[in-house]
Amino acid sequence: MKIQHIFFDLDNTLWDHRRNAYLTLKEIFKKEQISDRFNLDFEEFHTEYFTINERLWEQIRDGEIDKEYLREHRFYDTFLFFGIDDFDLSETFETQFLDEILNYNDLVEGAFEILEYLSEKKYKLHILSNGFKEVTFRKCELSGIKNYFQTITSADEINIRKPQPEVYDYSLKKAGAKIEESMMIGDDWIADVEGGKSFGLEVVFLDVFNDNYEAEGVKVIKKLVELKDFL
């Protein structure tokens, strides 16, 4: 059957999380005078934070930890790597990070263009994100893309994350969509591509970070506008 419903991942598929997080952390780092207090370079801090945060999000995706553990550890473990054992400081960073990241709302290149194109073609668009419920909707709202979507689903709503089939089932039922009429587009090979494909969806991998994964039946694009080639 012809595709009618398109489910987008949010972070790093439409909303440029890497850039927005970088700018947010740089501002907090400066505000808290970390360089002066601890003789710590921001770029070194950010590199280690990025590595730790990515690993923790993989553990959340795989059901090994919950979001409370991530919130307690991503900054604490980063500072600890540099010999700074200060839980209060890490809590300060966590609180400010969640509050202030919404001040930055850069989108992935081509996001507005492709959403406008797909809307004009009468596709029904949806968000299916593994991100925190309390910020997922606001990211869409503040970045100006909310009105393109018929449903916005965060895995927090049922506390089950992609690639687990239950979250796909929940999102499709919420959207009133059939599997054979639906497509999943995302930048996470395991959560979006393997998860969506196992559930029976047509899938598109947005390879924005040049991971160069490939699998039979999986379309791979480097930029969002390439969706125009087959939609």
Side-chain angles (χ1 to χ4, degrees):
M1 296 181 69
K2 182 181 177 182
I3 296 299
Q4 297 183 29
H5 296 267
I6 300 177
F7 293 80
F8 282 93
D9 175 55
L10 182 60
D11 288 346
N12 296 319
T13 299
L14 294 171
W15 196 83
D16 195 344
H17 184 272
R18 287 196 181 188
R19 174 170 173 75
N20 295 329
Y22 176 89
L23 294 172
T24 303
L25 285 176
K26 192 170 186 179
E27 184 67 26
I28 298 170
F29 196 89
K30 180 180 179 181
K31 186 186 342 180
E32 295 298 322
Q33 302 178 313
I34 302 300
S35 292
D36 294 336
R37 292 165 63 188
F38 302 105
N39 192 30
L40 180 58
D41 176 72
F42 172 73
E43 295 299 335
E44 292 181 7
F45 172 85
H46 179 264
T47 297
E48 188 58 31
Y49 163 79
F50 178 81
T51 300
I52 289 172
N53 189 55
E54 288 287 292
R55 185 170 64 244
L56 289 170
W57 270 107
E58 289 173 1
Q59 289 180 279
I60 279 188
R61 180 195 67 203
D62 297 339
E64 297 172 5
I65 62 172
D66 58 20
K67 70 177 185 180
E68 284 72 26
Y69 184 94
L70 179 143
R71 286 179 166 178
E72 289 177 2
H73 283 269
R74 58 180 169 183
F75 291 112
Y76 179 73
D77 291 357
T78 302
F79 280 115
L80 199 59
F81 177 84
F82 294 102
I84 304 166
D85 187 352
D86 191 332
F87 187 75
D88 289 341
L89 178 61
S90 69
E91 284 286 283
T92 296
F93 262 69
E94 180 65 29
T95 300
Q96 292 189 51
F97 181 74
L98 291 177
D99 287 342
E100 297 179 20
I101 192 170
L102 294 174
N103 293 332
Y104 299 92
N105 282 287
D106 286 350
L107 295 173
V108 172
E109 180 185 354
F112 271 122
E113 181 180 346
I114 201 62
L115 292 175
E116 189 67 24
Y117 169 84
L118 294 173
S119 296
E120 289 176 356
K121 300 280 264 185
K122 306 303 182 184
Y123 288 103
K124 298 171 183 177
L125 308 181
H126 312 273
I127 290 290
L128 174 52
S129 172
N130 269 355
F132 298 152
K133 180 180 178 180
E134 54 267 40
V135 295
T136 296
F137 185 86
R138 293 197 68 207
K139 285 177 178 178
C140 294
E141 186 175 41
L142 294 172
S143 64
I145 62 174
K146 175 179 71 71
N147 290 338
Y148 286 105
F149 300 103
Q150 294 193 355
T151 63
I152 297 174
T153 301
S154 166
D156 268 0
E157 293 174 32
I158 58 171
N159 201 30
I160 299 174
R161 286 178 159 76
K162 298 176 290 183
Q164 300 306 314
E166 292 88 349
V167 72
Y168 283 101
D169 184 59
Y170 173 80
S171 183
L172 263 68
K173 285 179 178 175
K174 182 176 175 179
K178 297 178 181 178
I179 292 176
E180 62 271 20
E181 298 174 343
S182 302
M183 172 184 285
M184 181 73 210
I185 301 169
D187 69 291
D188 188 307
W189 183 262
I190 294 175
D192 300 316
V193 177
E194 292 186 353
K197 193 169 186 290
S198 295
F199 190 68
L201 302 176
E202 187 170 339
V203 293
V204 178
F205 177 49
L206 176 61
D207 190 13
V208 288
F209 305 120
N210 296 312
D211 293 319
N212 295 315
Y213 295 127
E214 57 182 35
E216 185 178 352
V218 176
K219 294 181 175 68
V220 179
I221 60 176
K222 295 290 186 179
K223 294 184 178 181
L224 286 169
V225 293
E226 294 174 31
L227 289 170
K228 292 181 180 182
D229 294 340
F230 48 84
L231 286 172

